[in-house]
Amino acid sequence: MVTTPRVGVLALQGDVREHARVLADLGARVTLVRRVSELAEVDGLVLPGGESSVIDKLSRAFDLRDPIRDAIAAGMPMYGTCAGLILLADRLADGISGQQTFGGLDVTVRRNAFGGQVESFETDLDVPELGGDPVHAAFIRAPLVEDVGPGATVLASLPDGGVVAVAQGDLLGTAFHPEVTGDDRFHRRFLANVAGRA
Ligand code: GLN
């Protein structure tokens, strides 16, 4: 039986609408998650780009931090872009004072790693796991994965070797934003992970 996946987009701050549109276009039923009761309705969660320190603070103010951590521990598929990748990292470099992450990916992520003059750029990335054409990737005040522990797998790197996409079980994280460049293959992978657990 084919069921429509029920997925959420964490809707505390950031580019929530862009993710919701890509997921809806792929046939998913999308819930914007601001409450624990909404988190309980979904089988997977997207953590959008935005400002990770703000999403961190709001997740605590909305009593979502522990439920999200519990969901990660229970194996709920998640996909984090940019700030969302930061939130999924076990270790954070250059966070603001007191900034926390949810964790789940055995990586160290550095915020605003491309700071200074070149804060935003676009490039084509080979992502062998997705097959086919390179992914056109937009980096917007993007983080970089500085260290990859044994639990995580590298999905994509920049030509200089900087890691920008990782996976661990049903968790996916990209330093860039496929939701703004019209490439839906990471979202398809996320939905496949959700379907695989249903
Ligand atoms: N620099 C932002 C942060 O630290 C991430 C930017 C983004 O999500 N586009 O959260």
Side-chain angles (χ1 to χ4, degrees), residues 13 15 48-55 81-84 86 94 99 111-113 139-143 175 177:
Q13 190 266 340
D15 69 338
E51 174 48 52
S52 56
S53 59
V54 173
I55 299 174
T81 63
C82 204
I86 294 170
D94 247 10
Q99 182 172 353
R111 286 176 70 235
N112 302 333
F139 291 81
I140 305 166
R141 291 180 56 78
H177 293 268

Side-chain angles (χ1 to χ4, degrees), residues 142-166:
L144 186 65
V145 179
E146 276 197 341
D147 182 59
V148 181
T153 306
V154 175
L155 297 183
S157 307
L158 293 168
D160 69 2
V163 174
V164 289
V166 289

Side-chain angles (χ1 to χ4, degrees), residues 106-155:
D106 181 13
V107 297
T108 305
V109 168
R110 177 169 296 277
R111 286 176 70 235
N112 302 333
F114 304 92
Q117 291 196 344
V118 193
E119 288 192 334
S120 303
F121 61 98
E122 296 186 19
T123 189
D124 289 325
L125 288 174
D126 279 325
V127 188
E129 292 239 359
L130 295 182
D133 296 335
V135 172
H136 188 65
F139 291 81
I140 305 166
R141 291 180 56 78
L144 186 65
V145 179
E146 276 197 341
D147 182 59
V148 181
T153 306
V154 175
L155 297 183

